[in-house]
């Protein structure tokens, strides 16, 4: 019963919790059932790492939802691979999980494939599985893949012929420049902003100890992470979809492998203490408790209203006024800027949310609506062209008025953030751009929010 803008925030916090807790079963399985590994992994990922808590600022809930389903899919895959016979129920569960994961976030295919590749290598090489066992595992995975394809068919048909499909295909026909690759990998210099250096050292130590103890799958977590990081480089060999992977997407996911490696090492350390000192486990538990308290303190300071806030309280007041004082057929020009080399665009203040906040049309749809398949041919280019035109011409200029006439605009909205809700801080238009223009009349002004009525009498 909550309004959608509040529902998004609440559901995002549920995802923040689940995206960490969902790794508990996999962490326990990696440690042969040692539950302290699960507890430690959840503590590291949920309290000590900056992500996924930082998603509260980004609102990148599509990726976070995919990362929530991923550990379920990985656990089911591991279970099927270890079975000695074909399991149709397990295959059914895995197929549904994979479909849900990919429909939330299509890049999760790389995350899943990397782990399963490491898992198969360990299970079949290190453990010397027989052919019958391998055949049963492959049959179960194949059945899950078949169901996955069936469930994805409606989505594939929807995106076919859209910008998203073209971008995936471009990984085949166009070789990515080396310079672009280097720029992308330069993001790794900021990795400690999301996973601190002590946590990275802890994970590295876990990798070394796992190697010494021949725990190949635990050590393989680092290999899995390296495979994810290498996907972007695969654009040089034209791997389909590799151009859609970014180093930042891997960095935002590091809490999972770091948490698993660190959690496993903590469990091993607790066992070592318990075997040599009667109260050793209490000392280890005390360390974990102190770490948890420090993590709570860190998480309590994680929100950064600037520059991430798009909708502020004055925008909600303005949205209520718009509902009551404008025609339901009104259409608003809103702030935005171009991204991805000018191929698409996004909003940069609360005007982006007007369809949800006030039930009114605007000039800036959700970005995925542009990169999948627009409702009408050429719509994406029209949005981009409008932004490009307003970068050079004021809305009150003859060129701007002509564009607004063509779009059917009746009002202009400037939000509390004034079009600066981004790191680019590119304001498309300001209140000064409408001063002295007879075609625009200010009808709402409170705090920094402005609403202008556009006189369509100037249109042909």
């Amino acid at each position: 019963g909550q309004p959608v803008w509040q529902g998004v925030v609440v559901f995002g916090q549920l995802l923040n919790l689940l995206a960490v807790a969902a790794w508990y079963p996999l962490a326990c399985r990696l440690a042969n059932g040692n539950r302290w590994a699960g507890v430690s992994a959840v503590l590291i990922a949920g309290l000590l790492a900056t992500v996924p808590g930082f998603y509260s600022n980004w609102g990148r809930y599509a990726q976070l939802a995919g990362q929530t389903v991923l550990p379920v899919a990985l656990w089911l895959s591991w279970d099927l691979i270890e079975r000695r016979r074909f399991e149709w129920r397990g295959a059914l569960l895995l197929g549904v999980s994979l479909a849900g994961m990919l429909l939330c976030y299509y890049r999760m295919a790389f995350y899943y494939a990397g782990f399963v590749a490491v898992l198969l290598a360990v299970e079949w090489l290190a453990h010397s599985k027989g052919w019958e066992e391998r055949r049963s595992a492959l049959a179960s995975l194949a059945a899950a893949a078949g169901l996955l394809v069936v469930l994805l068919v409606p989505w594939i048909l929807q995106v076919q012929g859209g910008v998203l499909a073209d971008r995936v295909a471009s990984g085949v026909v166009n070789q990515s420049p080396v310079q672009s690759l280097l720029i992308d990998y330069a993001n790794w210099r900021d990795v400690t902003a999301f996973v601190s250096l002590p946590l990275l050292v802890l994970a590295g130590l876990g990798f070394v100890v796992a190697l010494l103890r021949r725990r190949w799958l635990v050590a393989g977590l680092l290999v899995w992470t390296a495979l994810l990081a290498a996907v972007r480089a695969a654009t040089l060999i034209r791997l389909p979809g590799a151009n859609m992977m970014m180093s930042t997407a891997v960095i935002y996911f590091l809490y999972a492998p770091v948490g698993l490696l660190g959690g496993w090492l903590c469990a091993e350390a607790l066992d070592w203490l318990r075997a040599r000192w009667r109260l050793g486990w209490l000392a280890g538990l005390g360390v974990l408790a102190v770490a948890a308290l420090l993590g709570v303190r860190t998480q309590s300071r994680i929100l950064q209203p600037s520059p991430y806030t798009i909708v502020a309280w004055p925008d909600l007041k303005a949205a209520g006024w718009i509902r009551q004082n404008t025609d339901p057929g009104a259409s608003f020009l809103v702030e935005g800027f171009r991204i991805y080399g000018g191929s698409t665009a996004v909003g940069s203040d609360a005007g982006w949310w007007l369809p949800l906040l006030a039930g009114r049309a605007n000039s800036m749809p959700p970005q995925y609506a542009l990169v999948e398949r627009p409702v009408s041919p050429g719509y994406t280019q029209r949005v981009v062209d409008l932004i490009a035109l307003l970068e050079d011409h004021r809305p009150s200029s003859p060129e701007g008025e002509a564009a607004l006439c063509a779009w059917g605009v009746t009002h202009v909205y400037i939000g509390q953030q004034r079009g600066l809700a981004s790191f680019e801080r590119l304001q498309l238009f300001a209140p000064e751009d409408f001063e002295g223009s007879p075609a625009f009349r200010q009808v709402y002004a409170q705090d920094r929010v402005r609403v202008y009525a556009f006189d369509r009498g100037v249109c042909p």
Side-chain angles (χ1 to χ4, degrees):
Q2 296 192 44
V4 67
W5 52 268
Q6 186 67 35
V8 167
V9 175
V10 173
F11 185 66
Q13 297 313 301
L14 293 176
L15 286 176
N16 259 330
L17 174 65
L18 293 173
V20 174
W23 291 97
Y24 176 88
L26 197 65
C28 292
R29 191 162 191 161
L30 281 167
N32 297 325
N34 190 327
R35 296 184 180 182
W36 282 113
V39 171
S40 301
V42 169
L43 186 154
I44 291 170
L47 295 178
L48 301 183
T50 304
V51 285
F54 206 82
Y55 279 82
S56 300
N57 295 304
W58 287 324
R60 297 172 61 97
Y61 297 132
Q63 178 172 344
L64 191 59
Q67 291 174 186
T68 301
V69 184
L70 175 65
V72 178
L74 297 182
W75 194 97
L76 289 170
S77 299
W78 190 353
D79 193 62
L80 286 177
I81 290 171
E82 286 193 336
R83 299 276 181 171
R84 296 181 179 272
R85 57 188 176 84
F86 176 76
E87 283 285 341
W88 68 267
R89 287 175 295 185
L92 176 65
L93 283 173
L94 177 58
V96 172
S97 298
L98 289 175
M101 179 185 73
L102 293 177
L103 289 173
C104 284
Y105 197 63
Y106 54 88
R107 290 183 180 127
M108 298 313 301
F110 293 111
Y111 295 73
Y112 174 80
F115 184 92
V116 171
V118 173
L119 178 62
L120 289 174
V122 171
E123 290 291 326
W124 292 355
L125 297 178
H127 297 164
S128 301
K129 293 283 186 179
W131 170 242
E132 287 298 323
E133 293 177 345
R134 294 183 183 183
R135 186 170 61 181
S136 297
L138 288 175
S140 298
L141 292 178
L147 177 59
L148 167 66
V149 172
V150 171
L151 294 175
L152 289 185
V153 164
W155 178 74
I156 293 172
L157 294 177
Q158 173 65 25
V159 301
Q160 190 174 16
V163 178
L164 178 61
D166 292 341
R167 286 184 180 169
V168 173
S170 69
V172 179
V173 299
N174 295 322
Q175 186 170 351
S176 178
V178 174
Q179 185 63 31
S180 174
L181 188 64
L182 293 176
I183 292 173
D184 179 77
Y185 279 137
N187 288 298
W188 283 93
R189 292 178 297 189
D190 300 323
V191 63
T192 53
F194 302 100
V195 180
S196 66
L197 184 59
L199 290 184
L200 293 175
V201 172
L202 180 68
L205 186 59
F207 169 75
V208 173
V209 174
L211 281 181
L212 294 176
R213 297 197 176 186
R214 297 186 178 183
R215 296 297 301 274
W216 305 123
L217 188 54
V218 177
L221 293 171
L222 185 60
V223 179
W224 174 37
T225 307
L227 288 174
L228 284 176
V231 170
R232 179 71 179 187
T235 54
L236 299 177
I237 60 173
R238 305 181 184 183
L239 177 70
N243 57 325
M244 301 300 292
M245 195 67 171
M246 298 181 294
S247 292
T248 51
V250 182
I251 294 171
Y252 302 158
F253 176 70
L254 282 182
Y255 71 89
V258 167
L260 292 173
L261 278 166
W264 177 83
L265 183 62
C266 289
E268 291 291 304
L270 283 173
D271 284 346
W272 184 86
L273 284 172
R274 191 162 40 192
R276 287 160 177 77
W277 180 27
R278 185 189 306 177
L279 299 179
W281 67 275
L282 279 177
L285 185 60
V287 171
L288 290 178
V290 171
L293 290 175
L294 292 175
V296 168
R297 183 183 180 187
T298 300
Q299 295 296 320
S300 69
R301 301 176 178 178
I302 210 164
L303 289 179
Q304 297 181 16
S306 179
Y308 297 106
T309 298
I310 292 178
V311 178
W313 288 111
D315 294 303
L316 297 179
K317 294 180 183 178
W321 183 90
I322 289 172
R323 280 184 179 273
Q324 296 177 2
N325 296 278
T326 64
D327 187 270
S331 179
F332 284 74
L333 173 70
V334 299
E335 298 274 2
F337 59 98
R338 295 182 291 171
I339 60 172
Y340 297 154
S343 61
T344 184
V346 292
S348 52
D349 67 18
W352 202 10
W353 279 62
L354 282 182
L356 297 177
L357 298 176
R360 300 296 184 266
N362 68 2
S363 59
M364 185 61 62
Q367 194 227 332
Y368 282 115
L370 290 177
V371 301
E372 290 185 359
R373 191 168 66 180
V375 293
S376 60
Y379 179 67
T380 301
Q381 192 58 48
R382 287 183 60 213
V383 172
V384 172
D385 289 345
L386 177 64
I387 300 296
L389 184 143
L390 293 177
E391 287 173 350
D392 298 324
H393 303 279
R394 293 183 176 187
S396 56
S397 68
E399 296 85 355
E401 291 181 0
L404 269 56
C405 288
W407 266 83
V409 167
T410 61
H411 293 78
V412 178
Y413 184 89
I414 300 177
Q416 181 73 4
Q417 295 293 76
R418 292 286 175 97
L420 301 176
S422 70
F423 283 106
E424 288 78 5
R425 302 188 71 81
L426 300 173
Q427 188 176 28
L428 198 58
F429 46 82
E432 297 78 31
D433 294 334
F434 303 97
E435 292 179 358
S437 173
F440 295 90
R441 177 172 54 89
Q442 182 175 285
V443 294
Y444 181 91
Q446 188 168 341
D447 297 291
R448 293 198 299 268
V449 180
R450 298 291 183 271
V451 176
Y452 299 90
F454 176 50
D455 181 8
R456 294 193 57 84
V458 303
C459 299

